[in-house]
Amino acid sequence: MERIKLNDGNTIPAVGFGVFRIPNDGSTYQTVKEALAIGYRHFDTAAAYFNEAEVGKAIRDSGIDRKEIFVTSKLWLQDNSYELAKKGIQSSLNKLGLDYIDLYLIHQPYGDVPGAWRALEEAQADGLLKSIGVSNMSPKLWQKYVPDFKVMPAVNQVEFNPYFQQKELRKLMAKDQVKLEAWSPLGSGNHDLLQEPVLVNLAEKYHKNVGQIILRFENQEGAIVFPKSTHEERMKSNIDIFGFELTQAELAQIEALDKGKGMHDPDAPGVAERLLGAYDVHADEK
């Protein structure tokens, strides 16, 4: 598996496996076990996915050396403050059953982001978190918060696919070698995207499926991707994107598909309140 160097000196597998919306009824455990067997070594979970425990158990039960596996989790918006973030980090560690987390992110950049970030910085200094980063930061939110951070984020995990290529944001991040992680790298099954003639023609040329063409494009653009699928054949094909290389002309063709807008607008009015009401990561404590 190709690895990408982060601005803190750590490296991250270029392709990971996302577990968003996989239930914590044993399904996540089984899916992560299958993904490990296929060859995935990078797993992306979050407090608000409610399946950290099953991800951690599958990793521990695999018998694979912990150093070979890269685990990402995220602090939910509910805990965006210094004191709550410290507890949130420890909660993620406890649920995962791990001594450290390879990458930990502020999941949604609202509320007391500076306080939460300070807790992440301290946990990184203590070795509990190897790398730290942010998620869903638009250019506006990036400029609001990041210039005041003591430690520069290693990544910003945002919506990214051929229809939404985050060009302005990537320019801002490039100044400090911050890597983009792509959620919804395949456009959440967007039919129009999967039927784009440019992508279909490239899939025929390289004897790949359209998803592999998209993921290879994103990889060559420098993004870290973690497509989610619970279907074995799709899981296999999503990780098999390194046996060919798109030309500069082909990359330019895909770049021209950019619409400059995605499904999620972090700057939209009321988005913080809506997200805060969507998940209660402390429900089992009440």
Side-chain angles (χ1 to χ4, degrees):
M1 169 58 66
E2 176 184 306
R3 295 183 74 94
I4 293 173
K5 190 171 184 178
L6 302 176
N7 60 11
D8 58 11
N10 295 320
T11 62
I12 184 171
V15 180
F17 190 86
V19 298
F20 179 49
R21 287 182 175 160
I22 304 180
N24 61 349
D25 58 1
S27 302
T28 299
Y29 175 81
Q30 190 59 40
T31 303
V32 172
K33 270 187 69 176
E34 291 173 9
L36 284 163
I38 288 168
Y40 286 90
R41 294 296 181 266
H42 173 188
F43 296 90
D44 181 273
T45 183
Y49 296 176
F50 301 100
N51 54 19
E52 289 172 304
E54 291 197 18
V55 171
K57 186 175 187 323
I59 288 169
R60 295 194 309 275
D61 289 353
S62 71
I64 298 169
D65 190 329
R66 171 68 180 93
K67 293 177 183 177
E68 292 183 23
I69 299 176
F70 194 101
V71 179
T72 297
S73 195
K74 311 178 195 76
L75 181 79
W76 186 233
L77 172 58
Q78 212 170 339
D79 290 336
N80 277 1
S81 73
Y82 175 68
E83 291 297 338
L84 289 176
K86 287 199 295 184
K87 293 177 182 177
I89 292 164
Q90 192 57 54
S91 175
S92 286
L93 284 163
N94 292 344
K95 288 176 180 175
L96 286 161
L98 301 175
D99 294 329
Y100 65 89
I101 299 171
D102 298 275
L103 175 63
Y104 200 74
L105 310 178
I106 290 180
H107 202 158
Q108 301 291 347
Y110 312 104
D112 184 9
V113 173
W117 187 252
R118 188 156 51 94
L120 267 65
E121 290 175 338
E122 289 182 5
Q124 183 183 37
D126 291 339
L128 298 176
L129 311 175
K130 298 298 184 183
S131 295
I132 55 177
V134 295
S135 182
N136 295 303
M137 272 202 179
S138 65
K140 181 179 177 181
L141 288 161
W142 184 271
Q143 291 174 311
K144 178 179 179 179
Y145 292 116
V146 176
D148 295 326
F149 287 174
K150 182 179 175 183
V151 175
M152 183 60 55
V155 307
N156 184 14
Q157 185 183 116
V158 293
E159 183 182 358
F160 179 79
N161 57 64
Y163 278 173
F164 188 30
Q165 297 178 31
Q166 298 276 12
K167 291 177 180 177
E168 180 186 354
L169 179 65
R170 287 160 69 192
K171 285 180 184 176
L172 276 175
M173 291 162 53
K175 297 173 185 176
D176 295 291
Q177 294 81 50
V178 180
K179 296 300 181 184
L180 183 146
E181 282 195 321
W183 65 256
S184 191
L186 298 174
S188 295
N190 184 310
H191 180 75
D192 291 341
L193 177 62
L194 299 177
Q195 295 296 318
E196 279 287 348
V198 168
L199 301 174
V200 172
N201 291 338
L202 287 172
E204 291 175 358
K205 173 183 175 180
Y206 288 105
H207 306 290
K208 296 291 182 180
N209 61 49
V210 170
Q212 288 171 306
I213 297 297
I214 293 172
L215 294 171
R216 184 58 171 151
F217 162 73
E218 293 163 349
N219 171 259
Q220 288 186 231
E221 292 282 298
I224 299 152
V225 299
F226 40 91
K228 190 205 86 174
S229 177
T230 56
H231 302 289
E232 185 178 357
E233 288 309 310
R234 187 66 67 185
M235 288 162 70
K236 288 178 178 176
S237 69
N238 285 345
I239 204 171
D240 181 23
I241 63 168
F242 299 105
F244 69 103
E245 187 164 333
L246 300 169
T247 67
Q248 288 302 311
E250 290 164 350
L251 292 174
Q253 284 183 304
I254 302 175
E255 286 169 359
L257 298 175
D258 186 26
K259 298 179 184 294
K261 186 177 181 181
M263 302 178 295
H264 175 61
D265 179 6
D267 300 322
V271 67
E273 291 77 14
R274 177 175 59 80
L275 289 168
L276 190 58
Y279 304 104
D280 180 0
V281 297
H282 300 301
D284 60 352
E285 299 168 12
K286 296 174 181 177

